[in-house]
Amino acid sequence: MTSTSVILCLFLLSLFKCTTNAANILSIIPFPMKSHDRIYKPLLFELARKGHNITEITQFKTATLPKENYHQIVVETRHKDLYEILDFHEIRQKTTIWNVGFQDLKLFWDMDYAVIEDILKSNRVSSMINSKTTSFDLIICEGFFGYEALFAFGHRYSAPVIAVSSLGSTIYMNPHIGNPILSASYPNFLLPYTHDMGLMGRFHNSLLNLVTLLAITIYQLPYQQELVERFFTESFKQNSIKPIGINKLVKEVDLVFINRHPVLGFPRPLTPNVIDIAGLHLHKFDNNSNVDKELMKIMDDAIMGNVYFSFGSNVNMAKMPQQQKTAFMKAFSRIPQSVLVRWDDTTMPDRPKNVHFRKWFPQNEILGHRNCRAFITHGGMLSIEEAVYNAVPILGVPFFGDQPMNVLRAEQLGLGLRLEFDNITETSLNWALNEIITSKSYSETAKKLSTIFRDSPQAPLDRAVYWVEYVLKHKGADHLKCYARHLNWFQYTSLDVIAVGLLIAYFVFYCVHKIYSLFVRNMSKKLKRQ
């Protein structure tokens, strides 16, 4: 046999091996934020590249899909994009220190319910659920924040489930996984605290956690159960699958991917089936990447450096009050750096010469450019991760959700400064920008944090792929699940053990008291006889 024939045979064998090991994977990331959708795209693309068949249900269409084995089902729901349906400037104005968190719960849960309902009743998804020929080997879906009904796909196809959380390890998932609830040292992501909360902070955090747990039990999970019954019951009957309750579904999740690096979040104990994949979407800046020539020239020619300004994909900059708009433009006009501004209205009059507007910028590429000096951000976790990855100090202006906590943590670490939106003036902005750009401490801290963030024995993408294929290989991960997830609240907190202990202590005390009383009475009688 010639060498050419041997090489051809080996090649064909490798293709056969790849095909036989290929799995059918269903991915559902329905949260109406583009940032939530794009964080896990690299994982799905890489799994497709490795030969797995990917079916993705999403609200955001991808312009170019990677391979023929990647199928996308785009479902437009009544809440397609938070950017279009919510005014976060208005939400911020209504938020106080004591209603923050409480007002967000029902808002997001009702929205999540509507999103799942629209997805499950769509023709393509409904047909897939009721099809007797469709099968999947693994489900990857968003979960534990109002999307628990999606776990029913795992029960429908007898497939393991990997839940993904873009918010880290939260109160919404911890009881179902078996992670400890650390109200004294781990803040609820909706609260503007770090791990050092103080007495009132710990009280506030404990109160919100307690209310959240009660609301999950009384309000959220019953609605998720209703969705499961309405859209999966018939399919369960047709395929001779035993019905399952939502309380069991949430405890059967095999693995959870979280996006919260310890250096940016707060170190905490996690069960073995919780895997941190923070930085999954990040890559090094490459001058040959998809950055247009005009933008590259602006960045390259900025001798004094660039400042990048973006409040993410969900804060409508056009709705910003005129006072803050004016303050930003005047402050930008006073600094020598070029300023790249992600702004919805690119026709702003009296724009400073050093300011460049666009409706969209390749954020990671800008932050990775050698001339980037500072990043003005709303404090979304993906933006914070990109700043740290590229060693760029930040000026944080938080709005809602986990942003206040993220910015407080960044400020605590020395990565940057924080400004409240209502307190923004030309003077405060000018001082903060000059402080961040001219003070070496912020850039040095950013470099140190970047080194820690990148220092890992395995790249986040490789780690995520490994664990996906691990779950596929072992057909689940029951051996990694913590039994604590099956305990009710008084068992988990050992209140029943404490009650038994107190009862025993009381019984012992009662017996000792009776014996002592009897002894004293007998001694008294003897003394009287004498």
Side-chain angles (χ1 to χ4, degrees), residues 52-92:
H52 298 293
N53 301 309
I54 306 298
T55 301
E56 180 194 16
I57 300 175
T58 180
Q59 295 203 64
F60 304 101
K61 185 176 181 179
T62 303
T64 305
L65 295 177
K67 296 181 71 175
E68 292 182 358
N69 57 330
Y70 196 110
H71 309 284
Q72 195 172 66
I73 300 175
V74 180
V75 180
E76 291 193 8
T77 73
R78 71 196 87 169
H79 298 309
K80 182 180 180 181
D81 196 335
L82 286 184
Y83 178 87
E84 298 172 355
I85 62 176
L86 294 180
D87 185 347
F88 290 111
H89 292 287
E90 182 181 346
I91 292 175
R92 176 190 52 77

Side-chain angles (χ1 to χ4, degrees), residues 1-3 5-6 9:
M1 184 180 289
T2 65
S3 59
S5 300
V6 171
C9 287

Side-chain angles (χ1 to χ4, degrees), residues 294-295 297-311 317 325 327-343 346 348 351-361 366-367 371-377 395 429-430 433-434 437:
E294 180 186 358
L295 177 57
K297 187 175 189 309
I298 292 171
M299 295 192 293
D300 288 342
D301 292 348
I303 299 173
M304 300 300 293
N306 298 295
V307 172
Y308 179 53
F309 175 30
S310 172
F311 281 163
M317 303 288 278
K325 286 183 183 180
F328 274 113
M329 293 305 110
K330 287 186 176 180
F332 292 157
S333 68
R334 294 173 59 183
I335 61 175
Q337 287 76 23
S338 293
V339 184
L340 304 174
V341 180
R342 185 188 179 281
W343 202 281
T346 59
M348 182 179 292
R351 181 180 65 183
K353 292 182 179 180
N354 64 327
V355 176
H356 307 273
F357 286 99
R358 283 191 184 183
K359 290 186 177 181
W360 181 85
F361 279 107
I366 291 174
L367 296 175
N371 288 339
C372 192
R373 297 290 180 266
F375 178 25
I376 304 173
T377 174
L395 172 58
L429 279 170
N430 193 61
L433 284 171
N434 277 295
I437 293 170

Side-chain angles (χ1 to χ4, degrees), residues 36 39-40 142-145 163-175 177 179 186-190 256-262 264-266 268-270 274-278 381-382 385 402 405-406:
H36 280 238
I39 184 176
Y40 292 102
E142 197 147 23
F144 300 119
F145 192 57
V164 299
S165 171
S166 302
L167 300 168
S169 176
T170 69
I171 187 68
Y172 307 96
M173 63 168 272
N174 290 333
I177 297 298
N179 281 336
Y186 195 82
N188 188 301
F189 77 93
L190 292 174
V256 182
F257 286 148
I258 62 171
N259 180 48
R260 183 73 64 169
H261 193 284
L264 298 179
F266 307 99
R268 58 154 299 146
L270 297 170
V274 178
I275 310 299
D276 178 21
I277 46 80
M381 181 47 67
L382 297 186
E385 286 177 355
D402 63 335
M405 184 183 74
N406 296 339

Side-chain angles (χ1 to χ4, degrees), residues 30-32 59 75 77-79 82 85 104-122 144-150 219-231 246:
F31 195 72
Q59 295 203 64
V75 180
T77 73
R78 71 196 87 169
H79 298 309
L82 286 184
I85 62 176
D104 294 338
L105 288 178
K106 190 173 185 302
L107 171 70
F108 281 101
W109 283 347
D110 289 349
M111 179 195 67
D112 296 342
Y113 177 90
V115 167
I116 298 180
E117 183 180 44
D118 289 348
I119 287 175
L120 294 180
K121 72 181 182 183
S122 65
F144 300 119
F145 192 57
Y147 293 102
E148 289 81 355
L150 297 178
Y219 181 81
Q220 182 202 12
L221 289 184
Y223 275 97
Q224 297 294 310
Q225 177 67 44
E226 184 270 329
L227 287 171
V228 173
E229 292 174 355
R230 181 151 46 113
F231 293 104
I246 194 70

Side-chain angles (χ1 to χ4, degrees), residues 49 154 208 239 251 256 262 268 297 299 320 461 463:
R49 188 192 69 80
L208 179 57
N239 294 277
K251 291 176 172 58
V256 182
R268 58 154 299 146
K297 187 175 189 309
M299 295 192 293
M320 183 185 294
L461 180 57
R463 182 160 60 250

